[in-house]
Amino acid sequence: MIPGSRRARLGWVDAAVLSAVVVALGYVFHRVDAVLEYRWDWSAIPNSLYRWDEETGRWVPNLLMQGFFTTIRLAILSMVPAALFGAVFGVLRTAGRLFPRLLSRTYVELIRNIPPLVFIFIFYFFISSQIMPILGVEDFVRGASPATLRSLELVFGPAALIPNVISGVICLAMFQGAYMTEIVRAGIQSVPKTQTEAGLSIGLSRWELWRRVILPQALRRVIPPLAGQFITLVKDSSILSLISIQELTFLAMETAVSTTRVFEVWISVAGLYFCLCYLLSLAFDRLERNAAAARA
Amino acid sequence: MERLTPVEPLIELDGVSKWFGAFQVLRDVHLRVAEGERIVICGPSGSGKSTLIRCINRLEEHQEGRVVFAGRELGADTADLTEVRREIGMVFQEFNLFPHLTVLENCMLGPVRVLGMTPADARERAMEFLGRVRIPEQARKHPAQLSGGQQQRAAIARSLCMRPRVMLFDEPTSALDPVMIKEVLDVMNDLAQSGMTMIVVTHEMGFARTVADRVAYMDEGSIVECLPPDRFFANPADERTKRFLSQIL
Ligand SMILES: Nc1ncnc2c1ncn2[C@@H]1O[C@H](COP(=O)(O)OP(=O)(O)OP(=O)(O)O)[C@@H](O)[C@H]1O
Ligand SMILES: [Mg+2]
């Protein structure tokens, strides 16, 4: 494409749409202002983000920023197992044998046909009462040396909340993994059968065929939708607030109650989510363009 | 005129039948191909030509009869099909190159991963065959950057790099423009000159006339007629062959 050709000049249609949007926004503000009689007061927000700590004499993150960081941690931590679930079950989904296919299908259908919220309520109860004691996370954290504890905190956040964060990560990963499974399956199946035939006719074994012909092509088709799913994962992490994982949405509820500035808090939180997700999508776009350029 | 039929043919199809569900694609097919022989198969669309040659490297499974390659019978219990397949080259109508690899890498994949050659040796061999199909200058490109004729020649080189004992071609020129058809046929002519055993499904009757040892006509899953080209074109015995030839010539 010629540089600059994308920045087309405004046509009259654009102008009409733009003015319609301005009018609509103006109307909404007018309603809020005149009819709702809501008194805006943003003064509580900066302090909910960062507060001055008298003891250490430093600015420290307050509830909203703490939640924001936890959300980022949750997203990054659950991305790895979610992608792993997606890869393993996605491959099983295309297996020749019935049992692996059935297993993976059951996983996907179970999760896709239950509301995420309901799944998380059930599954969280199971994880926190059954799996966490088996993993011995709590004991491990309690018995950890200061050095280990410091690196643990770097990854998982405040020590007291580590079991809490891990439960959240497992829930989110299970749930997102099902969607990634479908993406991986579609990617693998999008490689035409003729590629398999060509590979077999030069004598490749099943494994080499998979490794050298199918996987590389599937991977290329899977990366963009997986990136999109990662952004969805970030947004969906907000439902973890309902099982008391102390991420952004959970702490926003607390802040909204304690400051009584409901709109201001939620609008700020929306802004935080937006920034995070938008930055991610810009980053993924860029990565993809670089990859495409490297290929050409 | 008739070639002496050797004791042991390289490929033997003996009463091969195959069904897709209730539909019978191959009906009691007999065909013996000797080492160095060149067979052209023609016939109307849907007559089972592709299915037949795909049974030879077992991309399709037959249900009755025997398919024997170099003394090894191909069946459900053939221990290592890859052993057989590496000796049978196959060229498809749609080329089926690996789009994520360069032409050179396409040609090196089999030698390195199947024959266990070192990359350096495989590269040398690949360049040799890319030279023979006259596209050595395209080695570093990806298939999508090549013309159809070049892609098909790359696909031929990819098969030849395995040093197969027979080459199967399934309508190798049907997806190409006239100019490109000639490029590919020239390469196939060279290959025939070099003594390669070839089974070619094609409607290029000029090629059949000049290159084939025998021309087979297929209809509704059977080989109706299989004769040396001079007799095949001059006086075929079967009515269906006559009708087909009058349409195509
Ligand atoms: N996988 C399949 N399942 C069911 N039927 C099939 C399958 N593959 C081929 N057939 C049918 O078998 C018959 C023979 O197919 P085949 O591709 O061997 O014919 P062909 O002679 O190569 O035709 P063409 O000249 O069009 O390539 C056709 O009627 C086709 O519809
Ligand atoms: Mg065909």
Side-chain angles (χ1 to χ4, degrees):
Chain A
M1 201 179 283
I2 309 152
S5 71
R6 283 169 63 185
R7 200 159 295 164
R9 264 189 270 141
L10 281 181
W12 67 269
V13 178
D14 307 281
V17 170
L18 202 63
S19 38
V21 170
V22 170
V23 169
L25 277 179
Y27 180 70
V28 169
F29 279 116
H30 167 74
R31 293 290 293 184
V32 170
D33 206 38
V35 185
L36 215 59
E37 284 198 41
Y38 188 81
R39 307 259 229 105
W40 293 96
D41 176 8
W42 292 87
S43 62
I45 299 302
N47 202 44
S48 316
L49 295 172
Y50 280 94
R51 70 183 169 80
W52 178 256
D53 189 39
E54 294 290 350
E55 282 171 38
T56 55
R58 275 193 307 190
W59 288 97
V60 293
N62 206 352
L63 291 186
L64 289 187
M65 281 323 268
Q66 285 170 15
F68 188 58
F69 293 137
T70 305
T71 290
I72 294 176
R73 275 202 182 92
L74 281 173
I76 294 172
L77 288 174
S78 43
M79 181 61 191
V80 177
L84 210 67
F85 283 142
V88 170
F89 284 106
V91 170
L92 291 186
R93 198 93 154 74
T94 61
R97 284 168 200 273
L98 182 64
F99 179 73
R101 254 189 358 244
L102 214 60
L103 181 77
S104 152
R105 177 97 198 259
T106 309
Y107 166 61
V108 170
E109 296 298 347
L110 206 62
I111 288 179
R112 281 210 304 192
N113 294 298
I114 299 176
L117 204 55
V118 175
F119 168 79
I120 281 189
F121 276 138
I122 298 171
F123 199 70
Y124 178 65
F125 172 75
F126 180 70
I127 292 182
S128 57
S129 70
Q130 304 297 322
I131 296 186
M132 295 311 273
I134 294 173
L135 291 179
V137 172
E138 232 155 313
D139 297 336
F140 180 76
V141 171
R142 218 174 295 132
S145 70
T148 341
L149 206 57
R150 220 168 310 123
S151 38
L152 277 180
E153 287 200 325
L154 200 67
V155 179
F156 294 100
L161 293 178
I162 289 179
N164 180 284
V165 165
I166 291 181
S167 308
V169 164
I170 298 177
C171 278
L172 201 57
M174 280 298 286
F175 157 64
Q176 289 290 326
Y179 292 94
M180 300 201 180
T181 297
E182 280 304 275
I183 292 176
V184 171
R185 177 191 62 78
I188 293 172
Q189 290 179 344
S190 74
V191 180
K193 249 192 76 192
T194 51
Q195 288 287 305
T196 302
E197 292 178 351
L200 290 179
S201 20
I202 56 168
L204 291 179
S205 65
R206 282 276 158 195
W207 163 249
E208 288 289 352
L209 176 71
W210 172 253
R211 166 77 188 75
R212 311 282 160 194
V213 176
I214 299 181
L215 197 63
Q217 295 187 59
L219 216 56
R220 238 170 242 183
R221 287 168 224 224
V222 151
I223 299 288
L226 273 188
Q229 191 63 37
F230 182 55
I231 291 170
T232 305
L233 180 150
V234 173
K235 289 183 290 180
D236 283 359
S237 70
S238 70
I239 62 174
L240 295 179
S241 60
L242 287 145
I243 49 173
S244 308
I245 311 292
Q246 312 216 348
E247 45 66 77
L248 183 52
T249 303
F250 183 86
L251 293 177
M253 285 195 268
E254 285 197 349
T255 309
V257 171
S258 65
T259 59
T260 72
R261 303 316 307 171
V262 178
F263 270 154
E264 290 87 339
V265 168
W266 284 114
I267 290 174
S268 312
V269 167
L272 286 173
Y273 274 117
F274 180 85
C275 290
L276 180 57
C277 292
Y278 190 61
L279 279 177
L280 279 173
S281 71
L282 286 183
F284 288 143
D285 273 357
R286 192 183 190 124
L287 279 179
E288 214 190 307
R289 244 176 300 131
N290 287 350
R295 233 173 286 149
Chain B
M1 282 300 290
E2 204 90 287
R3 276 169 168 268
L4 285 177
T5 315
V7 189
E8 174 128 318
L10 181 60
I11 294 166
E12 180 172 12
L13 304 183
D14 185 17
V16 173
S17 292
K18 175 174 176 62
W19 287 261
F20 283 120
F23 174 71
Q24 187 166 6
V25 222
L26 297 180
R27 297 167 194 269
D28 190 29
V29 174
H30 292 266
L31 183 69
R32 294 161 70 95
V33 183
E35 192 115 40
E37 225 185 345
R38 295 172 292 264
I39 310 284
V40 163
I41 301 176
C42 58
S45 181
S47 57
K49 307 178 297 290
S50 299
T51 310
L52 178 68
I53 67 166
R54 288 158 61 88
C55 280
I56 295 173
N57 67 351
R58 211 169 163 75
L59 285 182
E60 300 283 359
E61 299 175 5
H62 60 282
Q63 277 115 29
E64 276 180 14
R66 300 188 317 136
V67 176
V68 184
F69 174 77
R72 284 167 287 186
E73 178 167 356
L74 308 189
D77 51 345
T78 307
D80 200 355
L81 267 179
T82 63
E83 295 277 336
V84 174
R85 282 179 177 144
R86 70 173 69 165
E87 297 185 3
I88 304 178
M90 178 127 188
V91 176
F92 301 87
Q93 182 174 349
E94 300 293 340
F95 331 133
N96 300 352
L97 290 164
F98 305 126
H100 59 297
L101 302 177
T102 64
V103 167
L104 184 62
E105 289 164 342
N106 265 276
C107 293
M108 288 169 59
L109 186 62
V112 173
R113 299 292 157 195
V114 179
L115 304 180
M117 290 172 70
T118 64
D121 290 348
R123 179 172 297 112
E124 195 178 322
R125 183 184 282 192
M127 286 313 300
E128 178 198 332
F129 283 108
L130 285 172
R132 277 216 221 153
V133 301
R134 302 179 201 131
I135 48 168
E137 73 287 354
Q138 311 291 342
R140 308 260 158 211
K141 291 192 189 162
H142 278 85
Q145 296 164 284
L146 270 56
S147 76
Q150 291 169 334
Q151 287 189 53
Q152 191 60 298
R153 286 184 281 157
I156 293 173
R158 175 178 68 180
S159 288
L160 290 177
C161 281
M162 297 299 294
R163 295 252 160 92
R165 297 178 64 182
V166 58
M167 288 284 286
L168 310 177
F169 293 83
D170 190 0
E171 306 206 28
T173 55
S174 296
L176 302 175
D177 299 339
V179 181
M180 302 179 192
I181 290 179
K182 183 167 180 317
E183 298 168 359
V184 172
L185 288 180
D186 285 348
V187 165
M188 289 168 64
N189 264 314
D190 291 353
L191 199 58
Q193 296 300 317
S194 75
M196 175 65 80
T197 312
M198 294 162 79
I199 302 181
V200 185
V201 174
T202 185
H203 290 150
E204 293 294 331
M205 289 302 135
F207 179 81
R209 237 189 253 277
T210 53
V211 174
D213 294 306
R214 282 184 290 156
V215 184
Y217 177 73
M218 269 190 94
D219 193 41
E220 296 190 343
S222 344
I223 294 186
V224 173
E225 190 122 38
C226 187
L227 297 170
D230 43 357
R231 273 162 58 199
F232 181 86
F233 291 107
N235 52 354
D238 196 276
E239 265 318 302
R240 286 170 289 181
T241 317
K242 282 181 193 158
R243 218 173 314 125
F244 178 76
L245 285 175
S246 69
Q247 281 166 8
I248 206 162
L249 292 177

